[in-house]
Amino acid sequence: MSSHAAGAFDRARPLAEDLFRAEVLAGLSARPRSLSPRWFYDRRGSELFEEITRLPEYYLTRAEREILLNHASKIAQIVGPGRAVIELGSGSSLKTPLLLNALAPSAYVPIDISGEFLRESVAALASVFPELAVYPIAADFMRPFTLPLSIKGFPRLGYFAGSTIGNMTVPVAVDFLRGIARTLGEGSLLLIGIDRIKDTRRLQAAYDDAQGITADFNLNLLHRINRELQATIPVDAFRHVARWNDYEARMEMHLEATREVRFTVAGRPFSIAQGETIHTENSLKYGPRDARTLLRAGGWVPVMEWTDREDLFALILARNCALTEGPRENRQ
Ligand code: AVI
């Protein structure tokens, strides 16, 4: 595998730092208080997330991997060889190689906000796929990005694994899908993993595991704020809370203050009452029809869908219709 983007890893850094500070200050000042889950993924956060994907309770990664193990050749048959695979997120060592192996792509473009993690996952893939052309992009894939010129002319397959779409509210997910449809362009395909609604106890365990890794992952956000924004948050005064919100069909993660706390972030003072929470993540879960509706609204027509044996998780292949279909009034 050859990496053609030597400087690309660090280009997004100053912008990301300013944005991080601005969003943290705004989120901690808002009521209810919230922080965006995209800030979980500094180096430590990315490592903790990798640990989460290996937990017995966190069924998502195993289920998606099972789908790829059982159906990658069928997916490859429909997708066809020679596509450039654009992965939104730097790729899980448990899943991406299975897909790349089956697809025989012309190029691989991983896009991830964490430059360091991206660099390492690209290096790990290089040993498995020495011939594959790789063009990593260190960027926030939630914002518009430009594809490398080197893949101009290649048909494209977007790969958005792990139900990361669930970390967006529905309107944000629809806008995101539309943006991706525009960026990937006419004739593109999207392979997207979407977690399904299921038994609440199973969901609860997946987001509040017995070893406390998810708690560490959630609390690391406060450590990160302390490290990077000269903050004085007493992290031990917060506890991880995971709960199912049935009305919104989503798992929520919060950080709850176990006593009244006062601290500063980038010189700005904050005071949080005992029992108050900072909302850090939503993980929306979708029924089969809702998932298809979401894709349609985002400009993608579902082509084929696969699930694991327990029907916990779905992998959906969709084709880009945003540019090829006429105005909404003319559609059936
Ligand atoms: C990345 N994302 C899909 C994970 C999820 O399941 O929502 C992040 C995560 N949060 C807690 N555990 C894992």
Side-chain angles (χ1 to χ4, degrees), residues 41 49 52 58 60 162-164 167 207 214 217 253 281 283:
Y41 303 93
F49 180 65
I52 288 175
Y58 197 74
L60 288 84
S163 200
T164 301
N167 297 134
Y207 289 83
T214 312
F217 174 69
M253 297 208 312
E281 187 182 68
S283 260

Side-chain angles (χ1 to χ4, degrees), residues 9 13 41 57 75 81 85-86 104 143 154 156 180 185 187 193 231 267 275 299:
F9 289 111
R13 193 162 290 163
Y41 303 93
E57 296 96 330
I75 295 170
V85 174
I86 293 102
R143 297 161 67 83
F154 291 155
R156 286 128 195 212
I180 292 300

Side-chain angles (χ1 to χ4, degrees), residues 37 40-41 49 52-53 55 58-60 161-167 195 206-209 214 217-218 240 251 253 281-285 313:
F40 280 142
Y41 303 93
F49 180 65
I52 288 175
T53 63
L55 287 171
Y58 197 74
Y59 60 85
L60 288 84
S163 200
T164 301
I165 193 83
N167 297 134
D195 195 20
Y207 289 83
D208 197 3
D209 64 279
T214 312
F217 174 69
N218 199 5
H240 165 69
M251 279 306 297
M253 297 208 312
E281 187 182 68
N282 292 318
S283 260
L284 277 70
K285 309 301 171 187
F313 195 94

Side-chain angles (χ1 to χ4, degrees), residues 18-262:
D18 291 349
L19 203 63
F20 182 43
R21 182 181 304 102
E23 282 201 9
V24 167
L25 291 175
L28 290 179
S29 308
R31 298 293 184 281
R33 298 181 206 262
S34 65
L35 294 168
S36 166
R38 72 179 146 152
W39 302 115
F40 280 142
Y41 303 93
D42 65 346
R43 190 195 163 76
R44 180 72 190 130
S46 298
E47 283 167 3
L48 284 165
F49 180 65
E50 277 285 308
E51 275 190 59
I52 288 175
T53 63
R54 293 178 162 84
L55 287 171
E57 296 96 330
Y58 197 74
Y59 60 85
L60 288 84
T61 314
R62 265 193 319 283
E64 195 172 20
R65 186 175 146 79
E66 179 193 317
I67 298 169
L68 283 172
L69 276 168
N70 290 335
H71 303 291
S73 54
K74 180 69 190 169
I75 295 170
Q77 199 184 321
I78 302 173
V79 168
R83 283 195 182 249
V85 174
I86 293 102
E87 180 159 19
L88 305 156
S90 69
S92 151
S93 53
L94 294 173
K95 290 175 291 189
T96 306
L98 291 175
L99 187 70
L100 295 179
N101 201 29
L103 284 183
S106 53
Y108 173 59
V109 183
I111 304 174
D112 199 272
I113 198 168
S114 167
E116 213 178 334
F117 203 70
L118 184 60
R119 193 178 353 235
E120 282 166 18
S121 60
V122 164
L125 266 185
S127 55
V128 187
F129 300 97
E131 303 297 320
L132 182 62
V134 177
Y135 308 98
I137 303 178
D140 177 2
F141 57 69
M142 291 302 293
R143 297 161 67 83
F145 59 88
T146 311
L147 290 174
L149 273 178
S150 335
I151 67 159
K152 195 165 180 272
F154 291 155
R156 286 128 195 212
L157 171 75
Y159 179 43
F160 196 32
S163 200
T164 301
I165 193 83
N167 297 134
M168 304 173 201
T169 61
V170 171
V172 170
V174 168
D175 281 355
F176 167 78
L177 288 168
R178 291 202 158 262
I180 292 300
R182 269 194 303 276
T183 305
L184 296 189
E186 207 169 334
S188 58
L189 295 170
L190 178 68
L191 187 63
I192 183 168
I194 302 188
D195 195 20
R196 291 201 158 164
I197 297 173
K198 59 186 61 67
D199 175 58
T200 313
R201 273 164 310 179
R202 185 130 199 197
L203 286 166
Q204 189 71 38
Y207 289 83
D208 197 3
D209 64 279
Q211 291 172 57
I213 307 293
T214 312
D216 288 348
F217 174 69
N218 199 5
L219 288 159
N220 177 59
L221 186 47
L222 299 182
H223 286 298
R224 180 179 185 185
I225 294 169
N226 280 346
R227 277 194 299 266
E228 295 182 24
L229 300 180
Q230 299 78 44
T232 59
I233 304 172
V235 180
D236 63 347
F238 287 86
R239 72 176 188 101
H240 165 69
V241 175
R243 56 176 174 241
W244 173 246
N245 178 333
D246 199 45
Y247 184 75
E248 301 286 354
R250 69 190 189 201
M251 279 306 297
E252 293 180 1
M253 297 208 312
H254 296 257
L255 289 163
E256 184 186 302
T258 54
R259 56 177 164 86
E260 196 203 329
V261 283
R262 289 171 195 280

Side-chain angles (χ1 to χ4, degrees), residues 313-326:
F313 195 94
L315 195 58
I316 305 178
L317 183 69
R319 70 176 167 78
N320 189 340
C321 68
L323 303 170
T324 49
E325 289 195 359

